[in-house]
Amino acid sequence: MLEAINLAAVRGDRRLFAGVGFSLQGGDLLYVQGANGSGKTTLLRMLCGLVIPEEGKILWSQEDIRSEREAYLQSLVYLGHLCALKDDLTGLENLRITEALAGEEISEPRAMAALQGVGLNGYEDLPVRVLSQGQRRRVALARLALTQAPLWILDEPFTALDKASVGSLKTRLEDHLEDGGMVILTTHQEIEIKAAVIKQVALAEY
Amino acid sequence: MGDGSGGRAKMNWSDFFTMGGYGFYVWGSYGVTALLIIIEIIWVLQRRKALLNRLARMSRLSKG
Amino acid sequence: MAFAGINWFKYSSPASFYPVAGKMIPWVASVAVILAVIGLYFSFFVAPTDYQQGEAYRIMFIHVPAAWMSMFIYVVMAGYAAMGLIFNTRLSAMMASSLAPTGALFTFVALWTGALWGKPMWGAWWVWDARLTTELILLFLYIGFMSLEAAIDDPRRASRSSGLLAIVGVVNVPIIYFSVKWWNTLHQGASISFDKAPSMASTMLTAMLLMTFAFWMYTIAMVLYRVRCEILERERHSEWVMALVEERK
Amino acid sequence: MLAVLRCVMMRDLILAVRRLSDVLTTLFFFVIVVSLFPLGVGPEIEVLRMIAPGVVWVAAILASMLALGRLFENDYRDGTLEQLLLSPQPLSLLVLGKVMAHWAVTGVPLVLVAPLLGMQFGMSAQGIGVLLISLILGTPAISLIGAVGAALTLGVRGGGVLVSLLVLPLYIPVLIFGAGAVEASVSGLGAEAHLSLLGAILVLALCFAPWAAAAALRISLD
């Protein structure tokens, strides 16, 4: 269960947002809305513990995420704007190394299956630099098929995806929510994701 | 003028400036030190004046 | 600095510290001037002529205090930086960045006066003496601190990054000093070094201490003045700064 | 715990092998800088033999400092560094893994080439032997201390030059004991004292540098 209390962020000397609070239980979907530059990415990175909040606290099952760092990070997957892939490594290597760093050893067949699951059959063992932006995005999203982490924080996950991939990502998110997982995401496209509880946080322009 | 603690104070000014032949070195050190301190003071005063002007101008712009 | 440290936590917010610093500056500055005048009087008129070096040794009365201050300010800077990182208090980070220029000034003064004192004593402008070399490396550390802080735009990250550098630096200063001392004695032997300061008549010591305290007061006044500029700079969007700017117009 | 350290190291080593040009440029820089000195100082072998340890050591420091840019900058730009910070494993361990891979790619080639340069400068076999040991002990310490500088100047404009300004003063003890060890052994004083102090600095760097670099990374990615 994730709880954010009275979060505030400052970038340079400009105050991005303040008094942001919400709580998220299993099966909840949270949309983070706001114009560009209103601090959406900063809020997501703050929820991951990358950015230290100017004010307020973030609790994961009633414990501050900075004191329960290891437990929290084990239950979290964050996909930012960048695909977080090394160009010289193949899709397969990237996937297995990223998962190993997150503490989950993945066998080659399972990684291969995950890549095929996002429609990359035949591209698994090519260096990522030869793939298109959409394909690279899908390699990054393939992680969602492998991870056991309940909390997914996704920054603009639908960008650069074709219709089929958008559809499959939508169903994967819905399955995850049904299994009691939590999703926090930002998106510009109007995509209807069915969830038990849908919450919104709007970052007003300061 | 000097006290009796074995030190003889210099009465005339010419001795004072020659500093027993080491005037260049002694006044070179004290002079540069004094100069640097004065420069730092002026620099800080300038910085504050420029900052206050900028803030005043920005507050006028934002209000006007 | 200890004085500012005592009521520190009560005035830890920049807004409340600003007026306090304002009131302190005139007092500290006048104490600095008085101490400097008395110190100079002692240095030139009271302290006796040294039988070995004649009048040249009087450079010692600013060289040694400047060297002490350069080391002391760096340690205080690292202390404030550590407090800024641990307690996340913005004001201590500002104090650290305000201390750096004055510290660098004293380091340069120590080097300059060291060279001018070295010329008459040993006939060389620069002597690879352990302490002088460490002073030179300390100047590099100060320059590194200030340039790192100037290179980063976001003031919060700038003070935290340079703060960490100051802490890494202060841990390294003793290591550098002892390795340079080892290197110095290996190559040259201990013949030329500052350790054998001229026999210290009591008046010499008082002159040096007076000058040290004068430098100390000067540092406090200068740092308080500069930290007020930092506060105005970083809090320019807050209401109290706006109000203050209104009043001044 | 160690599996993750090995994983980060293997990843960086694979990346380095797949892009050998970066490794070779550092090595060639080292060789060129060392070979410049005889052209500048003159060919007398006596003079060259005397300045050889200092020249090799300063060139090694400059070469490994050039390679520091590659330590975090690429990961920072493609987003993998962010994922490293989000790994449940202690960040200082991951940083240690990266620095060991960086040392294996830049430090070890320098150590392997140093004897050739030693001969070029007419150094005695004993001198070259001690030079090798001092470089083996010194280059990892340089990579470790350099990692702190690289983390501090991440994403900062003019970071490449700035890192040298921050890190060079901290390299001075390593340089003094490294170059001094060779000179002491050649002049008959025996280099044990210097090498043991160099080892002490290496242990100190091993304990504190990863932690400091990890803290610097968190600040840089804040």
Side-chain angles (χ1 to χ4, degrees), chain D residues 5-24:
Chain D
L5 182 79
R6 205 170 32 76
C7 171
V8 169
M9 261 186 72
M10 288 317 293
R11 182 194 79 154
D12 274 18
L13 286 176
I14 294 169
L15 280 170
V17 163
R18 292 200 181 153
R19 199 175 282 276
L20 267 183
S21 63
D22 294 351
V23 171
L24 297 180

Side-chain angles (χ1 to χ4, degrees), chain B residues 44-45 48, chain C residues 25 220-229:
Chain B
V44 166
L45 295 173
R48 182 178 167 82
Chain C
I25 291 176
I220 295 176
M222 189 54 69
V223 166
L224 288 180
Y225 198 92
R226 192 175 286 123
V227 86
R228 276 160 61 96
C229 294

Side-chain angles (χ1 to χ4, degrees), chain A residues 11 45 48 50-52 69-70 73-74 76 78-80 82-90 93 97-98 100-103 105 129 143, chain D residues 3-4 7-8 10-12 14-15 18-19 74-80 82-91 94 98 218 221-222:
Chain A
R11 185 57 67 195
R45 294 183 77 231
C48 302
L50 288 172
V51 173
I52 297 174
R69 184 180 166 284
E70 193 171 338
L73 289 180
Q74 240 143 20
L76 160 75
Y78 169 67
L79 291 183
L82 301 168
C83 302
L85 301 172
K86 298 303 284 184
D87 291 348
D88 294 332
L89 295 178
T90 67
E93 285 164 343
I97 288 174
T98 318
L101 290 181
E105 288 294 328
R129 67 172 175 282
R143 247 187 100 185
Chain D
V4 173
C7 171
V8 169
M10 288 317 293
R11 182 194 79 154
D12 274 18
I14 294 169
L15 280 170
R18 292 200 181 153
R19 199 175 282 276
N74 302 351
D75 292 358
Y76 176 72
R77 231 175 285 113
D78 56 30
T80 35
E82 227 172 29
Q83 296 297 332
L84 274 185
L85 262 70
L86 291 177
S87 152
Q89 313 300 338
L91 181 57
L94 301 178
K98 280 188 76 65
R218 286 197 200 290
L221 266 80
D222 183 330

